[in-house]
Amino acid sequence: MIDERVVETTYGPVRGADAGGARAWKGIRYAAPPVGDLRFRVPEPPQRWAGIADATSYGPACPQPSFPNMPLDLGAPQDEDCLSLNVWASGDTAPGDGKPVMVWLHGGAYVLGSGSQALYDGRRLVSGGEVVVVTINYRLGALGFLDLSSFNTARRRFDSNIGLHDVLAALRWVRDNIAAFGGDPRRVTLFGESAGAGIVTTLLATPAAQGLFTAAIAQSSPATSVYDRDRARQVAVSMLDKLGIAPTDVDRLPGVPTSAMLAASQQVFNEVPVRNPGTLAFVPIVDGDLLHDYPVKAAHDGRSHPVPLIIGTNKHEAALFRLLRSPLMPITPRAITSMFTQIAAEQPDLQLPTSEQIGSAYSQFRRGKARSLSIATDVGFRMPTVWLAEGHSRVAPVYLYRFDYATPLLKLFLVSAAHATELPYVWGNLGAPKDPTLKLGGAKTARAVSKRVRTRWINFATDGKPAGPAGEPDWTAYREGDRACLIIDKTDTLTSDPDAPIRAAWGSEMVGFR
């Protein structure tokens, strides 16, 4: 009898497991262990394995620092040998079915998260049998986004944008192998949230990504958090200083214990946004090799890959960072003022909004926390999203959204539709054991919202058009004439240009904005 859980891949067969009406293959290696001489290098193909590899448990998560105010259950132990992925399909999916594929990139400020988090359990998303889902691990923090290339020597080479290279390697694995799991390599939707969405929008402008995905979804992308080599070098110098390594001794880096790397990277991660509000330590960079220009600028110039795109944000993004007391976003008037001062000094030719424009755009808020939170949301997420949508809409259909729905509990805690609160709705994992958001009610409405979101995301992956369930409004593409935006709340509402006030303040062409 044929065991349908055994699938042949490029590097050898893997055996998955049945998972509550679905089938899952977990911890499939897509690259060689990035350790020793391969630390800080682009991923290499794995060696072919002998026999059938067990694919019933998740592979290790990338090592990452611990933040008491941001506890995460990664669903797997941590280890630098972390380059694996997971495939989810309905129980009746068979090789050759040619179903659309959705490849997920987790968020976590480029330093946290994994593809094995319980939130990204794919059973619900594939339960209808319409799609095959892939979740991946990529290198994080200093291991994935520390640019040491300026310290290259004849003895030691360091690559840049390693985390992006990991994702590209995983996408090539999908291209070469997903048909055996019932997926269609010609219909691959790359989707992600926060830093994962930042990778999505960055790969839209990355030549090497051409042809590896045919549609994209970016949920709360920090699309302008892509920096130049000078800023990346400053972070690298800071890391070396924390490690007690002179630039002339960079050959020692591949042998530095993981624990020391994490301790140093956590210090740098904490210091950078305090010193330079609105910036992150570890992000993709314009290296002139893999990434030639800033994604928003590339989109503005019509140079992004012409694939259909869903892109949007949550209404109250910054509220999560206030709740967690995180320094990652400038959420106080002092931090926002400091950020504007630094940007003006760094980029004197950039036309920043005047105090009068800010006052007009945010006139509905009294001065203080509410105004600061709204400005932080727009600086960090909304305006970069709108700028990218405007540019990309010139080469492919773009569907802009804003997620406004919040359960009674989230409203009570004054976070409402904060950063990442849309995730359980996309994955259909509302009310999971560690999801408290339904504790004060609202389950019926929340599940209806989730069904609409999942239907639109799956339909988009199927044919590039995000149709909702029967009776729901059509989601028309974003055009400068009406700037259509789907407001996702208790009901879906298609509205015209809800960002007009903030666009008036921030403009439409601030492509150099950090």
Side-chain angles (χ1 to χ4, degrees):
M1 181 177 179
I2 297 176
D3 187 348
E4 294 182 346
R5 298 170 299 177
V6 176
V7 176
E8 184 70 41
T9 76
T10 306
Y11 305 108
V14 295
R15 178 183 282 111
D18 294 325
R23 194 167 288 144
W25 295 265
K26 300 176 180 178
I28 303 174
R29 185 184 295 281
Y30 68 84
V35 298
D37 287 342
L38 291 183
R39 183 191 263 183
F40 304 119
R41 298 300 307 275
V42 298
E44 296 283 346
Q47 292 185 350
R48 183 174 177 86
W49 49 82
I52 300 174
D54 178 73
T56 60
S57 59
Y58 290 115
C62 181
Q64 50 200 264
S66 174
F67 297 93
N69 59 340
M70 290 186 282
L72 282 183
D73 180 357
L74 297 173
Q78 299 180 36
D79 192 275
E80 285 197 53
D81 183 8
C82 62
L83 299 183
S84 64
L85 52 78
N86 317 293
V87 180
W88 296 86
S90 61
D92 60 354
T93 300
D97 279 356
K99 295 180 178 181
V101 183
M102 300 180 72
V103 179
W104 174 253
L105 303 179
H106 68 80
Y110 296 104
V111 298
L112 298 171
S114 73
S116 54
Q117 289 172 247
L119 184 57
Y120 311 134
D121 183 300
R123 279 176 285 188
R124 196 67 187 274
L125 199 53
V126 303
S127 62
E130 299 100 334
V131 294
V132 172
V133 169
V134 179
T135 65
I136 76 169
N137 288 344
Y138 54 93
R139 279 174 283 183
L140 303 169
L143 296 170
F145 294 95
L146 179 66
D147 180 34
L148 296 160
S149 60
S150 60
F151 300 104
N152 282 340
T153 68
R155 299 186 307 274
R156 177 67 61 183
R157 175 179 172 81
F158 301 96
D159 294 317
S160 55
N161 284 319
I162 301 165
L164 295 184
H165 279 286
D166 290 344
V167 174
L168 291 172
L171 287 170
R172 288 191 289 268
W173 184 96
V174 169
R175 177 195 63 196
D176 297 339
N177 292 280
I178 204 62
F181 296 84
D184 184 352
R186 298 165 300 178
R187 286 191 294 170
V188 175
T189 296
L190 187 63
F191 72 134
E193 183 266 347
S194 194
I199 293 176
V200 172
T201 52
T202 299
L203 291 184
L204 282 171
T206 302
Q210 184 173 4
L212 291 177
F213 57 94
T214 53
I217 301 174
Q219 302 167 206
S220 303
S221 170
T224 49
S225 291
V226 177
Y227 307 147
D228 61 20
R229 280 193 178 277
D230 288 341
R231 186 170 287 179
R233 181 181 170 85
Q234 294 172 25
V235 172
V237 168
S238 183
M239 270 291 296
L240 292 175
D241 181 64
K242 297 288 190 297
L243 291 167
I245 295 176
T248 53
D249 292 329
V250 290
D251 288 359
R252 294 169 48 196
L253 277 170
V256 172
T258 303
S259 58
M261 289 293 302
L262 290 181
S265 65
Q266 186 159 8
Q267 293 179 59
V268 174
F269 179 82
N270 288 336
E271 289 174 1
V272 165
V274 174
R275 186 171 61 245
N276 301 109
T279 65
L280 298 172
F282 306 107
V283 296
I285 66 161
V286 178
D287 61 0
D289 180 18
L290 185 69
L291 185 62
H292 299 159
D293 208 342
Y294 300 98
V296 171
K297 186 174 188 301
H300 177 266
D301 294 343
R303 291 182 284 112
S304 50
H305 297 306
V307 300
L309 171 68
I310 288 177
I311 190 168
T313 60
N314 296 354
K315 187 176 183 180
H316 309 102
E317 297 275 3
L320 175 70
F321 300 92
R322 178 188 62 182
L323 178 70
L324 298 178
R325 299 180 180 178
S326 168
L328 292 182
M329 290 191 73
I331 57 176
T332 66
R334 177 178 295 180
I336 289 173
T337 299
S338 175
M339 179 186 68
F340 277 107
T341 300
Q342 290 185 23
I343 293 172
E346 292 174 357
Q347 303 180 66
D349 295 332
L350 192 63
Q351 190 66 46
L352 292 169
T354 65
S355 57
E356 290 78 13
Q357 289 172 318
I358 291 291
S360 175
Y362 300 95
S363 59
Q364 71 269 41
F365 302 109
R366 295 181 179 180
R367 293 185 181 275
K369 291 182 179 179
R371 175 178 287 194
S372 297
L373 285 171
S374 185
I375 293 173
T377 289
D378 295 339
V379 168
F381 296 101
R382 189 62 187 181
M383 285 315 302
T385 286
V386 170
W387 293 329
L388 197 137
E390 288 185 344
H392 193 71
S393 67
R394 297 164 189 165
V395 299
V398 173
Y399 300 91
L400 182 69
Y401 76 87
R402 194 182 73 200
F403 187 86
D404 287 16
Y405 182 70
T407 62
L409 182 106
L410 292 181
K411 291 178 179 178
L412 178 66
F413 279 94
L414 303 179
V415 294
S416 293
H419 189 65
T421 56
E422 89 288 0
L423 287 172
Y425 298 84
V426 171
W427 286 89
N429 292 328
L430 286 159
K434 295 187 179 181
D435 173 20
T437 57
L438 301 181
K439 294 294 185 183
L440 295 183
K444 182 178 180 181
T445 300
R447 291 192 174 106
V449 173
S450 178
K451 181 179 180 182
R452 295 199 311 270
V453 170
R454 282 182 287 121
T455 298
R456 291 189 186 278
W457 265 225
I458 288 171
N459 284 340
F460 179 74
T462 300
D463 61 12
K465 298 177 181 178
E472 293 299 321
D474 289 338
W475 189 355
T476 56
Y478 184 95
R479 297 184 181 88
E480 290 191 12
D482 61 359
R483 302 180 189 274
C485 176
L486 187 75
I487 306 297
I488 303 172
D489 206 331
K490 291 182 179 180
T491 59
D492 287 352
T493 305
L494 192 70
T495 187
S496 177
D497 200 8
D499 303 302
I502 60 172
R503 282 194 307 101
W506 296 97
S508 295
E509 299 184 0
M510 293 181 62
V511 294
F513 191 78
R514 74 166 80 166

